[in-house]
């Protein structure tokens, strides 16, 4: 799979564990970040709903799907990972292209309910919980057999650039 050059040139995806995120919906739902609502009106994962996809680790079954909605300034992510438990996904500092300075989300499914923690890194250590709030919205979360799927959305522009990365398009 070929990434759009602007994403490849400025964004580095850091594999922290295993994870899964979701496809966009056309209906405004219950989730919202900042002033623009994020669509979250769907109940099942469909990889075909995304414009782009890639595999970070074929041996670990870490697949990423995403669509950028320029009109509302939102990225929709679906992470499908062969694991149970928590998963992590990071957007690295475009200059460092490494874990220090990355904007991270750690997500999990417990008793069928998904949750996400917005975090950031200061080094090669456990990411620190953001004090500026939650940038990621869970759209869908499920565990099937040995696979966890978590679908998320986030605005492209981060409200607090000291701990979150603006996602270039």
């Amino acid at each position: 799979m070929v990434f759009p050059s602007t994403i490849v040139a400025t964004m580095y995806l850091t594999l922290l564990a295993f994870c899964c995120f979701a496809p966009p919906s056309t209906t405004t739902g219950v989730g919202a970040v900042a002033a623009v609502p994020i669509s979250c009106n769907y109940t099942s994962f469909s990889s075909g709903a995304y414009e782009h996809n890639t595999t970070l680790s074929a041996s670990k079954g870490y697949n990423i799907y995403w669509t950028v909605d320029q009109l509302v300034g939102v990225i929709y992510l679906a992470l499908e990972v062969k694991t149970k438990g928590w998963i992590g996904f990071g957007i690295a500092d475009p200059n460092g292209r490494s874990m220090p300075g990355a904007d991270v989300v750690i997500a999990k499914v417990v008793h069928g309910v998904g949750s996400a923690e917005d975090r950031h890194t200061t080094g090669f250590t456990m990411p620190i919980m953001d004090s500026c709030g939650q940038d990621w919205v869970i759209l869908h979360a499920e565990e099937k057999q040995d696979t966890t799927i978590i679908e998320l959305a986030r605005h492209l522009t981060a409200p607090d650039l000291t701990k979150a990365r603006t996602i270039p398009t």
Side-chain angles (χ1 to χ4, degrees):
M1 176 70 197
V2 177
F3 281 85
S5 60
T6 54
I7 290 178
V8 171
T10 57
M11 191 166 88
Y12 176 77
L13 307 177
T14 305
L15 177 62
L16 300 173
F18 299 171
C19 60
C20 193
F21 302 86
S25 169
T26 57
T27 311
T28 301
V30 295
V33 174
V36 178
I38 290 178
S39 301
C40 58
N41 185 23
Y42 42 90
T43 58
S44 64
F45 170 70
S46 171
S47 62
Y50 294 94
E51 293 177 6
H52 310 283
N53 67 77
T54 193
T55 298
L56 286 184
S57 174
S59 66
K60 293 185 178 167
Y62 195 118
N63 302 301
I64 300 174
Y65 309 89
W66 74 96
T67 295
V68 175
D69 184 336
Q70 294 284 356
L71 186 63
V72 295
V74 172
I75 185 168
Y76 296 91
L77 285 176
L79 300 166
E80 177 183 35
V81 182
K82 196 170 197 163
T83 192
K84 292 271 186 147
W86 64 273
I87 52 177
F89 178 81
I91 302 168
D93 177 341
N95 299 315
R97 300 184 55 89
S98 182
M99 190 167 167
D103 184 6
V104 175
V105 62
I106 295 178
K108 62 185 173 182
V109 179
V110 176
H111 304 297
V113 178
S115 66
E117 296 176 350
D118 195 356
R119 295 174 170 257
H120 66 281
T121 61
T122 56
F124 292 97
T125 60
M126 179 67 172
I128 301 163
M129 186 77 77
D130 282 1
S131 58
C132 60
Q134 178 74 25
D135 293 336
W136 294 94
V137 174
I138 294 241
L139 304 174
H140 175 77
E142 67 180 284
E143 288 182 325
K144 288 196 221 179
Q145 299 165 352
D146 62 348
T147 301
T148 300
I149 298 170
I150 303 209
E151 298 180 274
L152 302 165
R154 197 197 106 167
H155 284 277
L156 298 172
T157 303
D160 180 357
L161 295 178
T162 62
K163 296 180 179 69
R165 297 271 164 242
T166 292
I167 301 170
T169 57

